[in-house]
Amino acid sequence: MKNDDAIYMLGADGKLERVPLGAYSSELVLQKLIEDYPELLSGEQIDPDDPPRWLLVKREAGIPDADQSTDRWSADHLLLDQNARPTIVEVKRSSDTRIRREVIGQMLDYAANATVYWPADRIRALASETCGGADKLDEKIRLLIGSENTDDPLTDVENYWRRVDNNLRNGELRLLFVADELPRELKRVIEFLNEHMPRIEVLGVEVRQFSGQSMRALVPRVIGQTERARQDKVSAPAHKVSLSSFVETCPEWCRSFFEDLFEDAGKEGFRVVPGTKGFSVRAMGNTGKPVSLLWGFAPGSYGRTAPAIDINLSYLSPFENADVITQTVTKIAPFKLGGTSVLTMLLDTGNLKSGRDALKYIWQIGRKIQAAP
């Protein structure tokens, strides 16, 4: 870790503050941050077309090594995403010597045994305990997958847990090594594993901490997403939908909504980027890096019976307070908070006008992003 690394923050008063890179006081501090703010795992860097939204199942999740045995290991965090994919997180500080060698074998032990001795009903029980009961967990699952307004939300939840079980049995996992700084040797091992393990996604996430007199910044960066690994994760090249084919998959009553959305985004200078399940709208930030304003999904995505709009607050919060966005958007249109930081609205014939009005507010934030110095 370079002691002279820093970021510079320009305040509203025009003063420039140098915010130096700092170490975490303990590993527990970083673990607690991931527990409270799993969006620090930077889903958009993991998959820009379909960013993972996180549900914390358990911190310190025990893993046995045989049927009916006591737990032998304890993963720092176990999470699920909207695609029912289990994600195991191991957190280390760069100053911990185990980060160079032992953590690799440790994580592979977790994965090998979790796929055999972690039935979905055990994960469900752990998540229920974390969420404060089965009813609250079911509500979080419905919000996570965007099915709170469907005709049969109970079936949607049960189908989700069947997918969790199938993913476990098929070894469809995600392993995340998290640290303030990952050593070069570990980065190369992560890239190698991610390239040669087609079913398991292996990534590193550096969460660097910059601390100044008046503020604290946390800057995540995902390691291991090589182009070769992206291609090897699928049996066939991922097919991205065209915007015209996306519109055709939507009911006729909402096609003009999306056609107008694409046209208005273009007029604002935003990019509409097709994905494998829908599209994203991106504004270009002052660093040259695009910021995703929203995602659109056709019916059938993640069990949703209607087209949907998602807004990830963690990507917009550097430019507008997340609470302000939530209060404003939910007052305009029937968006609901899903996961930890995603606002979701399922379209119907009665909310198209309010949905258009909500987009006007999001375009305002996009203009602010593009105008930032």
Side-chain angles (χ1 to χ4, degrees):
M1 182 180 294
K2 297 180 180 179
N3 293 329
D4 57 349
D5 282 354
I7 60 175
Y8 292 86
M9 303 298 296
L10 184 62
D13 57 359
K15 293 184 178 179
L16 189 69
E17 179 181 352
R18 182 180 185 274
V19 185
L21 177 66
Y24 294 98
S25 59
S26 73
E27 190 174 291
L28 292 176
V29 172
L30 184 51
Q31 289 179 357
K32 180 62 175 171
L33 283 170
I34 300 301
E35 177 184 5
D36 293 340
Y37 309 106
E39 57 266 34
L40 286 171
L41 299 177
S42 196
E44 189 179 33
Q45 291 185 46
I46 293 174
D47 186 349
D49 293 330
D50 184 19
R53 303 193 298 271
W54 308 109
L55 172 72
L56 177 67
V57 174
K58 180 73 174 177
R59 182 175 170 183
E60 300 297 341
I63 306 172
D65 62 355
D67 283 324
Q68 309 301 320
S69 73
T70 58
D71 294 332
R72 178 173 179 180
W73 302 281
S74 179
D76 287 336
H77 306 82
L78 171 63
L79 301 101
L80 292 169
D81 65 17
Q82 72 272 24
N83 294 312
R85 189 171 196 174
T87 297
I88 300 174
V89 178
E90 188 65 17
V91 178
K92 291 284 187 291
R93 285 196 300 168
S94 58
S95 58
D96 189 335
T97 57
R98 294 173 299 171
I99 196 173
R100 296 180 182 272
R101 295 184 181 275
E102 292 180 28
V103 70
I104 295 292
Q106 188 178 20
M107 189 71 101
L108 293 178
D109 277 334
Y110 295 169
N113 288 276
T115 55
V116 177
Y117 304 117
W118 253 359
D121 57 355
R122 176 174 181 175
I123 294 180
R124 191 170 186 174
L126 292 175
S128 178
E129 179 183 335
T130 299
C131 294
D135 291 342
K136 291 183 179 179
L137 172 60
D138 287 352
E139 181 181 354
K140 286 182 177 291
I141 294 295
R142 290 193 293 270
L143 289 170
L144 182 70
I145 63 178
S147 71
E148 67 274 14
N149 294 328
T150 60
D151 294 333
D152 193 357
L154 181 61
T155 299
D156 293 339
V157 169
E158 295 306 319
N159 286 338
Y160 178 84
W161 286 110
R162 278 192 285 271
R163 291 169 61 198
V164 171
D165 194 62
N166 287 337
N167 284 337
L168 279 169
R169 300 291 79 79
N170 293 327
E172 299 280 353
L173 303 177
R174 183 183 293 110
L175 308 179
L176 297 183
F177 298 87
V178 178
D180 51 347
E181 184 177 18
L182 295 168
R184 179 178 57 82
E185 302 94 329
L186 179 56
K187 290 179 182 178
R188 181 63 198 118
V189 172
I190 288 172
E191 290 178 351
F192 177 83
L193 292 175
N194 202 35
E195 289 176 354
H196 294 282
M197 298 177 72
R199 291 186 180 275
I200 298 181
E201 189 171 42
V202 184
L203 299 171
V205 182
E206 292 182 335
V207 184
R208 307 178 88 196
Q209 175 181 245
F210 296 83
S211 300
Q213 293 182 351
S214 60
M215 61 88 65
R216 179 186 184 195
L218 302 171
V219 182
R221 182 167 74 103
V222 172
I223 307 294
Q225 279 288 36
T226 64
E227 187 56 35
R228 175 178 173 181
R230 291 181 188 275
Q231 294 175 358
D232 288 347
K233 293 304 173 184
V234 292
S235 57
H239 173 69
K240 293 190 175 183
V241 301
S242 67
L243 298 182
S244 58
S245 64
F246 173 86
V247 171
E248 290 174 1
T249 62
C250 293
E252 189 170 352
W253 53 263
C254 69
R255 290 178 183 176
S256 63
F257 175 90
F258 288 108
E259 290 170 343
D260 292 345
L261 186 157
F262 300 152
E263 182 178 354
D264 292 342
K267 290 179 180 178
E268 295 285 353
F270 308 142
R271 289 183 59 206
V272 181
V273 182
T276 56
K277 295 182 175 69
F279 65 88
S280 62
V281 178
R282 303 175 186 176
M284 187 60 66
N286 58 359
T287 62
K289 180 181 177 181
V291 178
S292 293
L293 302 176
L294 58 84
W295 287 262
F297 296 100
S301 302
Y302 315 121
R304 302 172 181 180
T305 58
I309 297 291
D310 285 359
I311 300 169
N312 195 313
L313 297 170
S314 61
Y315 304 138
L316 303 184
S317 57
F319 310 95
E320 186 71 89
N321 181 274
D323 291 336
V324 172
I325 298 174
T326 300
Q327 292 169 11
T328 304
V329 170
T330 55
K331 186 176 180 179
I332 296 172
F335 279 86
K336 294 187 177 181
L337 187 63
T340 57
S341 61
V342 176
L343 292 169
T344 296
M345 184 179 77
L346 298 183
L347 296 181
D348 59 43
T349 55
N351 63 24
L352 294 180
K353 183 181 183 304
S354 62
R356 294 175 192 269
D357 292 338
L359 291 180
K360 293 177 182 178
Y361 172 68
I362 298 302
W363 298 158
Q364 291 179 19
I365 299 176
R367 291 186 209 115
K368 183 182 296 187
I369 293 170
Q370 297 193 144

